[in-house]
Amino acid sequence: MLKYVARRILQMIPVFFGVTVILFILRAPGVLPGDPIEMLTGDRVISEVTYNQLVQKHGLDQPLYVQYVTYMKNLFKGDLGLSYKKNRSVTEIFVEKYPYTLRLALAAILIEMIVGLSVGIISAVKRYSFWDVAVTLSTSILVSLPVFWLGMLMQVLFGIYFKRWGLPYLPISGMGNPPDLAHLIMPAITLASVSTAYVARIMRSQMIDVSQQDYIRTAEAKGLKGGAVVRKHALKNALIPVVTFIGIDLGAMLAGAILTETVFNWPGIGYEIYLAITARDWPIVTGGVVIVVIAYMIINLLVDVSYAFLDPRIRYGGEAA
Amino acid sequence: MSTLLEVNGLQTYFDTIDGVLKAVDGVTFSLDRGATLGIVGESGSGKSVTALSIMRLIPMPPGRFAGGDIRYEDRSILEMSAAEVRSLRGNNIAMIFQDPMTSLNPVYRVGKQIGESLRLHKGMSRKSADVRAAELLDVVGIPNASQRAKDYPHQFSGGMRQRAMIAMAVACDPDILIADEPTTALDVTIQAQILDLMIELQQEKDTAIIMITHDLGIVADMVDNVMVMYAGRPVEEGTVDQVFYDPKHPYTWGLLDSLPRYDVDDKGRLIPIEGQPPSLIAVPSGCAFHPRCPYARDVCRAEEPKLSNLGDGHVAACHFAGSSGFVRGSTAGGAA
């Protein structure tokens, strides 16, 4: 197992370099339209001297490969460079923003697991009941709704109309100062919505599939109660593919949720990276993607390792066949 | 010997979109303590559904008991509450399934799966169930049992898994052991070992066995009584000697003729039973076997034959069973 983990970590190195190289190629003049310094100064007319000072300050006068080497050297010291537009350390920006993204992602994953799994299980156990049909119908609707639109609908209903009707209402924007639970509810539900529907559907079909396996009949033939059969014998087998989905989804959420964060003015890294792209603020874009890639790779590794705990047939590194 | 299990006119039907599927339609037999009954027949003849009915493991719906009764120690299994049935399952009546590769849960240790019924029915602690499970694995001939109990099913070979299934089934010393084609999925060399093991355990504990199989060799070797099933109905019942050496039903004749024999010069050809088993939704009129029966006559198409007594408990469901002149090989043809 340790050998396997070590190998996987080594495999991350080329991926990591590949991603950063691509990001630097995008910086090369002419690859993408828009000059960072012009985006920075906007409509203001600046002298050539000022322009050159800014170019020098951000190292844009150096050849691209020199910029890359400098960047990588600094990266290993934890320095992600200086934002063109904000004139702040990128590391500092992400240290400040990342907890917000983490907060939203964890809340959404929690909803996805608790609601998605239990709805899927109940649907499978009470197959073809009214409940099951209702779940199948509502999950199909949910997966086809655009996330931002769902967010806006909720804002209008729970934020604006509930307030108008004198009902308890939810804040529609920001994360509160200090951050509180009320501000978290709608963004988390919005971010979790599609995935929750998918988890419920995968869980349902997995449970149905597993419940038709021979070993479930063996468990019943032992005289176990239906509930015990589901809990002990069906669940663990059914969970394996669902864990993959949730893991990959968590990876995606840790990369920031641009749509949800934009709709709810959530100050996470998704929104930050989106703004930086429009401003050609390369240090933020590069730094953001670097963080996202690392987070994604670590989550994927954790998911793969978790298989070994769920399914004894999987053993990494060639121990015990 | 006392009658342990009585199945009387059992009808297990399934409601399907195409109509009522009569998987079991009037099965009657009784099983004494320590006795062995073989149920033989083609795929889809209702053997397994009969077994699952005894365990009340028929999914309902679409399944339902349309008639008849199953009595265990004179209590109707069909009328028991779900909790009463559960206290029988794995405890008084246990089952071994066909495919040992898929009948064990892949994510739990073998020992745990064996110990599960001990904890459930005998109220054993986790620890003593573990110890007993290892003992049981040893009994069924798994070497180094206490270590192997900690293995997962995928670390066991097919034969070992079936041994583990047997250990699981006999854990609570059941009165009845139902074995649904226990050796079909195994190598021939392993088959004999598994059967020997079952006989050994049976003799030790006086367990009654219902052996479901389509392998007539197994039946001849280890059972006392045989029930031949066709299209959900018993067509012939009797002792092994009666059914094998003096069969009365044309279907039984066909089954026996389709076996390879060393003592008959048939130029190496086997004689198959022509045609396909009938649909259980639209069972042929009269005798269900008549479309495939070389002896069929008008009465066979019109009237369903009753099980007629041929003496000494030997019964057959054929209009002509026992009548003089109606013998194997006398391809009468009739109006066919």
Side-chain angles (χ1 to χ4, degrees), chain A:
Chain A
M1 177 65 96
L2 276 177
K3 229 170 150 184
Y4 172 80
V5 172
R7 201 168 65 223
R8 282 289 301 266
I9 290 172
L10 286 177
Q11 280 169 1
M12 289 180 182
I13 296 170
V15 175
F16 180 71
F17 279 100
V19 167
T20 45
V21 165
I22 291 170
L23 285 166
F24 265 81
I25 290 172
L26 292 179
R27 287 185 181 196
V31 173
L32 282 179
D35 178 280
I37 306 300
E38 275 172 21
M39 301 294 283
L40 169 64
T41 53
D43 292 334
R44 275 169 299 171
V45 180
I46 52 166
S47 65
E48 205 171 312
V49 180
T50 320
Y51 184 90
N52 287 336
Q53 272 175 348
L54 282 170
V55 165
Q56 246 173 20
K57 177 180 172 192
H58 293 294
L60 293 170
D61 51 342
Q62 306 282 331
L64 206 56
Y65 70 91
V66 177
Q67 287 184 42
Y68 181 75
V69 171
T70 317
Y71 185 83
M72 291 311 267
K73 267 190 204 156
N74 290 333
L75 180 63
F76 285 103
K77 289 182 238 157
D79 177 9
L80 292 170
L82 200 66
S83 159
Y84 300 158
K85 191 149 190 175
K86 301 195 169 181
N87 206 12
R88 269 181 76 191
S89 150
V90 173
T91 312
E92 225 178 271
I93 293 175
F94 282 117
V95 166
E96 181 197 316
K97 300 274 180 185
Y98 205 76
Y100 303 151
T101 287
L102 203 62
R103 187 180 158 88
L104 183 58
L106 292 181
I109 275 293
L110 215 62
I111 293 173
E112 183 177 329
M113 287 200 292
I114 294 171
V115 179
L117 292 180
S118 43
V119 164
I121 293 167
I122 297 169
S123 255
V125 172
K126 305 219 175 287
R127 197 176 168 190
Y128 302 138
S129 65
F130 172 77
W131 164 268
D132 182 30
V133 175
V135 165
T136 307
L137 207 69
S138 50
T139 50
S140 340
I141 293 171
L142 215 50
V143 294
S144 24
L145 281 187
V147 170
F148 65 90
W149 192 59
L150 179 72
M152 288 169 170
L153 282 185
M154 291 210 299
Q155 285 175 327
V156 170
L157 181 63
F158 298 116
I160 297 169
Y161 278 94
F162 269 42
K163 190 175 184 182
R164 207 172 283 170
W165 296 334
L167 292 166
Y169 60 94
L170 289 168
I172 60 170
S173 168
M175 48 180 290
N177 190 19
D180 57 16
L181 205 61
H183 280 83
L184 185 61
I185 295 174
M186 281 204 289
I189 290 176
T190 305
L191 182 58
S193 62
V194 175
S195 311
T196 305
Y198 272 121
V199 167
R201 302 194 120 205
I202 301 172
M203 195 61 196
R204 175 182 181 273
S205 66
Q206 278 302 313
M207 285 295 286
I208 288 172
D209 185 51
V210 167
S211 66
Q212 286 159 351
Q213 297 293 315
D214 288 345
Y215 53 79
I216 296 300
R217 198 181 49 192
T218 307
E220 283 171 345
K222 276 181 205 171
L224 289 174
K225 272 191 194 177
V229 173
V230 170
R231 269 198 323 276
K232 290 174 83 174
H233 288 270
L235 207 56
K236 204 174 166 190
N237 283 287
L239 269 177
I240 297 166
V242 183
V243 166
T244 320
F245 180 84
I246 293 179
I248 291 171
D249 206 45
L250 179 62
M253 284 178 182
L254 290 180
I258 293 185
L259 293 176
T260 307
E261 287 179 2
T262 310
V263 170
F264 289 96
N265 275 329
W266 192 268
I269 66 163
Y271 191 45
E272 192 67 34
I273 294 173
Y274 163 72
L275 289 179
I277 292 170
T278 55
R280 304 289 184 268
D281 197 342
W282 297 127
I284 292 188
V285 177
T286 313
V289 173
V290 163
I291 290 170
V292 165
V293 165
I294 292 175
Y296 205 86
M297 288 194 296
I298 290 173
I299 292 287
N300 266 323
L301 178 60
L302 290 179
V303 169
D304 286 349
V305 169
S306 75
Y307 282 156
F309 291 97
L310 278 171
D311 189 344
R313 286 166 295 187
I314 297 172
R315 284 286 177 273
Y316 296 116
E319 326 156 20

